[in-house]
């Protein structure tokens, strides 16, 4: 069986985020594997489920599901058993164990995790905040933010801001260039709330060259030159020292790893 033949289907009676996250975590351990990964959300009817299962059979797909409705669970397990498909029930083994230990009956309510509660609206507000105050659009955002992220170009400021916003943190970020003027509001922010991102010279040069190529431009520009990058890195690191803020080198870190460092540091100060 070749890498290209791998298919994974995620089936859910809600958004499907739980099983998708688990699948992506597993796939991240196999960077060379090419996977036909599909998510089927809000499946509530048996006929709808059967159509998808037949497609999964044709693709010989691995199936992950998070159904809580008993008829749908029975349908998918019977189908997979009959057609020798691999199936993982993500939620119900855990639900059964919790019920056994607490003697409390579960609700078996589809989408219960995605209720529109206060936490949900706080997260939406944080996402809107991150978009509004991305790339230093309005320096006033620094004074209202839970976290302020600084960094030169291609240090993942924006995706990191959005990731943290999804964890309910209000994040503003500011791109740094030696020629730029630092907003006065930044000096009014508690240094414990500020995070300075940096990267290795060679890694930045490679990333910037790839970006130029994606735009159909010559990769060898002042933007990607090592001399320019050295100047930007020194400027940023000198600023971080003046601010007295936390510094993180993101060269070998994923967005999730960098966010975890920030959140853990932030929580330790509260």
């Amino acid at each position: 069986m070749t890498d290209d033949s791998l298919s994974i289907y995620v089936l859910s009676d809600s958004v499907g985020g739980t099983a998708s996250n688990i699948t992506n975590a597993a796939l991240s351990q196999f960077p060379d594997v090419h996977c036909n990964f599909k998510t089927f959300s809000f499946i509530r009817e048996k006929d709808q489920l059967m159509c998808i299962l037949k497609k999964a059979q044709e693709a010989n797909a691995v199936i992950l599901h998070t159904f809580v409705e008993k008829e749908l669970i029975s349908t998918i397990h019977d189908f997979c058993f009959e057609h020798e498909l691999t199936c993982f029930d993500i939620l119900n083994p855990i639900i059964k164990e919790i019920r056994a230990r607490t003697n409390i009956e579960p609700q078996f309510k589809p989408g219960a995790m995605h209720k529109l509660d206060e936490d949900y609206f706080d997260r939406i507000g944080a996402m809107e905040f991150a978009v509004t105050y991305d790339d230093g659009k309005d320096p006033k955002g620094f004074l209202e933010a839970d976290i302020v992220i600084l960094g030169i170009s291609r240090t993942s400021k924006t995706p990191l801001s959005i990731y943290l916003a999804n964890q309910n943190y209000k994040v503003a970020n500011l791109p740094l260039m030696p020629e730029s003027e630092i907003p006065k509001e930044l000096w009014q922010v508690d240094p414990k709330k500020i995070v300075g991102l940096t990267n290795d010279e060679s890694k930045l040069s490679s990333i910037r060259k790839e970006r130029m190529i994606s735009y159909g431009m010559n990769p060898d520009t002042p933007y990607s030159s090592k001399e320019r990058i050295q100047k930007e890195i020194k400027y940023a690191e000198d600023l971080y020292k003046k601010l007295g803020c936390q510094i993180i080198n993101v060269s070998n870190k994923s967005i999730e790893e960098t966010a975890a460092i920030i959140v853990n540091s932030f929580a330790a100060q509260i």
Side-chain angles (χ1 to χ4, degrees):
M1 183 177 288
T2 64
D3 290 345
D4 292 328
S5 66
L6 178 63
S7 293
I8 299 179
Y9 284 17
V10 167
L11 282 59
S12 176
D13 48 21
S14 184
V15 178
T18 302
S20 293
N21 289 338
I22 291 172
T23 304
N24 282 318
L27 286 172
S28 69
Q29 302 299 320
F30 301 91
D32 296 327
V33 169
H34 301 285
C35 178
N36 176 27
F37 179 28
K38 294 184 178 181
T39 300
F40 299 88
S41 306
F42 298 103
I43 303 169
R44 300 290 173 84
E45 303 295 333
K46 183 176 178 179
D47 290 346
Q48 182 185 12
L49 175 58
M50 287 301 299
C51 289
I52 296 168
L53 289 175
K54 290 175 182 177
K55 293 180 181 178
Q57 180 188 2
E58 293 172 1
N60 190 29
V62 176
I63 297 175
L64 289 82
H65 79 83
T66 53
F67 292 118
V68 293
E69 207 281 317
K70 293 180 179 179
E71 183 182 8
L72 296 182
I73 294 171
S74 178
T75 297
I76 192 170
H77 287 184
D78 289 347
F79 186 94
C80 289
F81 179 79
E82 179 182 352
H83 298 283
E84 299 182 342
L85 291 176
T86 301
C87 175
F88 293 98
D89 184 337
I90 303 300
L91 288 183
N92 287 286
I94 303 172
I95 290 174
K96 289 178 181 177
E97 185 65 20
I98 294 173
R99 180 172 58 182
R101 293 187 180 220
T102 64
N103 292 318
I104 296 174
E105 287 297 315
Q107 292 182 326
F108 291 115
K109 180 181 179 182
M113 185 177 173
H114 301 282
K115 58 185 178 181
L116 302 183
D117 56 8
E118 184 178 349
D119 184 70
Y120 171 83
F121 289 108
D122 285 346
R123 185 163 63 254
I124 295 300
M127 296 287 283
E128 292 175 347
F129 187 95
V131 172
T132 300
Y133 297 109
D134 183 45
D135 276 345
K137 292 174 185 173
D138 185 351
K140 293 178 182 177
F142 300 144
L143 304 177
E144 301 175 29
D146 297 320
I147 301 170
V148 176
I149 294 176
L150 311 178
I152 61 178
S153 177
R154 313 319 293 171
T155 49
S156 301
K157 297 180 298 297
T158 295
L160 180 58
S161 297
I162 297 299
Y163 186 90
L164 287 166
N166 202 41
Q167 299 183 41
N168 290 20
Y169 290 99
K170 293 191 296 182
V171 185
N173 71 70
L174 177 69
L176 300 177
M177 291 186 294
E179 299 81 9
S180 63
E181 183 177 348
I182 301 301
K184 65 181 185 298
E185 288 85 354
L186 184 62
W187 301 101
Q188 302 172 36
V189 179
D190 184 344
K192 294 179 181 178
K193 294 184 176 182
I194 303 175
V195 178
L197 304 181
T198 188
N199 205 331
D200 291 344
E201 175 191 315
S202 58
K203 187 74 174 287
L204 268 177
S205 179
S206 176
I207 292 172
R208 292 185 178 186
K209 286 181 179 180
E210 289 176 5
R211 190 184 190 197
M212 292 296 98
I213 292 172
S214 70
Y215 289 160
M217 301 172 63
N218 185 343
D220 297 316
T221 65
Y223 173 71
S224 60
S225 71
K226 290 188 176 182
E227 292 77 13
R228 171 65 188 185
I229 291 171
Q230 288 172 353
K231 182 178 180 180
E232 290 185 25
I233 290 176
K234 184 178 187 308
Y235 169 78
E237 292 183 347
D238 287 346
L239 174 63
Y240 300 157
K241 290 177 182 177
K242 289 179 183 178
L243 290 167
C245 67
Q246 180 181 19
I247 303 173
I248 301 176
N249 188 317
V250 301
S251 61
N252 294 310
K253 293 180 178 65
S254 65
I255 297 296
E256 293 84 357
E257 289 173 313
T258 305
I261 293 171
I262 293 171
V263 170
N264 290 339
S265 174
F266 189 73
Q269 298 167 15
I270 297 176

